Amino acid sequence: DSFSDGGQYVAPDAALRHADALVAAGAAVLDVGAGEGETVELYRLLGAKRFICVEPDGSRVARLRDNAARNGWDAEVIQEPFSAKLLEKKFDFMKMDCEGCESALFGTSLPFPCVLETHKGATAEFLKMGFTVLKSEASTAIVTNVRA
């Protein structure tokens, strides 16, 4: 398929196991497109300890803050659109699922492991940056720079 890497990159299941291991070791997670905290709870259950939650939607942020308080998450909640300046925060792993946000990463150095949902043709840009496709559908793909 058009996303083939010719075997140059690690298998998707190995990349996911490596990401899971980072989280299980107590990683701090930057969650872009945090919604109401669904992924935060998943990562917490897997072992992550600290979260930086970026969500621009005010109604979702209110529920995210409520969920953080109710569940005792160590979470910094940021209500603003994603920008590259947020990469200056201290974290070990980034999950991004925020339509259009991924374009802010084009041309940046991403020395930390991450898994991103790409939209509207952005996948090709991430392949140029050395990412691997884990899954693709009609207009979205899940990509990672995690190597095992």
Side-chain angles (χ1 to χ4, degrees):
D1 74 10
S2 62
F3 296 115
S4 175
D5 62 19
Q8 179 180 0
Y9 300 110
V10 69
D13 60 331
L16 291 173
R17 281 193 309 273
H18 182 67
D20 286 346
L22 285 169
V23 171
V29 177
L30 173 61
D31 185 356
V32 179
E36 298 169 16
E38 303 89 334
T39 306
V40 169
E41 181 61 9
L42 171 66
Y43 287 142
R44 186 195 66 77
L45 291 171
L46 292 171
K49 301 293 184 206
R50 192 173 63 81
F51 307 94
I52 303 166
C53 304
V54 180
E55 176 56 54
D57 182 331
S59 63
R60 295 184 119 195
V61 166
R63 288 188 291 272
L64 175 60
R65 286 189 172 120
D66 182 55
N67 285 334
R70 181 178 306 138
N71 293 295
W73 300 336
D74 179 2
E76 175 185 359
V77 178
I78 301 170
Q79 183 183 344
E80 65 183 55
F82 177 78
S83 67
K85 74 177 173 72
L86 292 169
L87 299 177
E88 296 170 9
K89 298 270 184 189
K90 185 173 173 41
F91 61 93
D92 304 301
F93 178 80
M94 179 176 72
K95 170 266 187 182
M96 178 180 279
D97 178 9
C98 184
E99 189 163 351
C101 294
E102 67 272 25
S103 63
L105 299 175
F106 295 164
T108 63
S109 172
L110 301 174
F112 48 82
C114 53
V115 174
L116 318 170
E117 181 175 84
T118 61
H119 303 84
K120 299 179 183 170
T123 303
E125 291 299 318
F126 287 100
L127 291 175
K128 291 177 193 173
M129 294 170 65
F131 279 67
T132 301
V133 173
L134 298 175
K135 179 181 177 183
S136 64
E137 295 180 359
S139 62
T140 63
I142 307 297
V143 300
T144 188
N145 65 352
V146 174
R147 307 279 191 270

